[in-house]
Amino acid sequence: MAVSNNTVMSDHEHDHHHEHVDESVDDRQTWARRRREGVPTNKQLLVIACMDERIPVEDALGIELGDAQVFRNAGGKVTDDVIRSAALTTNFFDTEEIIIINHTDCGMMSAPDDAVREGLQAQAGDLDAADLDPSLPELNIGDADIMDWVKMTDDIDEACAAQVEYLRESSLIPDDVTVSGYVYEVESGELRRPGDRVAEEISERQV
């Protein structure tokens, strides 16, 4: 049976490729403007982790690009800047959960305090007068010890638990935000809860 041209056009009249292109363009625009449009991360999650290159944050947590905001620093420590970022995202970007990831064999356990202090002094000279924030040159260590700012770690499990408490106790973080902490074992490639250590020598600093 012959098929008329009208029938063929009717079968495809709603299958225009520009519709797929338009959808893709719209999706990209939403992605790029998600902060301005009030779109939170897919999991409404902030992750704070060590900057160590061995820590595959997304793989360890089973998340993908867009699922979480990820803040990484030396040791995965809750510093004033972490509090600043966490306060902004939980109060204004609808973030409802924070996960902290510390890890075994961390570089923050690799040297005695004196060695770190001497190395920084060799670079900066007077550590008491060193600027901590280039936009606030008057902000310095003051009467505190420089090692309180560096935040070296003696026990990774205790450190992880402490970071969780710092965030939970901060007045800038809403009480209904869930805060959890895990230790990533570089020897197994798996997360564990603080305290469930498998070997002392890779969880404690040797000084």
Side-chain angles (χ1 to χ4, degrees), residues 58-180:
E58 288 80 7
D59 290 345
L61 292 175
I63 60 177
E64 299 177 351
L65 180 66
D67 283 346
Q69 297 162 340
V70 180
F71 189 116
R72 300 181 74 141
N73 64 20
K77 297 300 179 68
V78 174
T79 62
D80 57 341
D81 198 39
V82 167
I83 292 290
R84 166 182 167 272
S85 297
L88 289 172
T89 193
T90 55
N91 285 285
F92 302 108
F93 298 147
D94 295 327
T95 295
E96 298 179 347
E97 182 178 9
I98 302 174
I99 292 179
I100 297 168
I101 300 180
N102 294 155
H103 69 99
T104 57
D105 196 41
C106 184
M108 297 301 287
M109 299 188 294
S110 63
D113 288 355
D114 289 345
V116 175
R117 190 194 312 274
E118 291 170 5
L120 293 175
Q121 283 177 335
Q123 171 62 37
D126 183 7
L127 293 178
D128 293 337
D131 293 335
L132 301 184
D133 186 331
S135 67
L136 299 171
E138 71 279 6
L139 181 63
N140 56 53
I141 199 66
D143 295 331
D145 189 284
I146 191 69
M147 298 314 298
D148 294 330
W149 176 70
V150 172
K151 298 184 183 297
M152 295 296 288
T153 296
D154 291 318
D155 183 297
I156 198 63
D157 292 76
E158 292 179 1
C160 185
Q163 309 317 304
V164 171
E165 287 307 307
Y166 293 150
L167 279 174
R168 287 177 177 169
E169 294 175 1
S170 173
S171 61
L172 294 172
I173 309 301
D175 292 338
D176 59 354
V177 171
T178 300
V179 184
S180 305

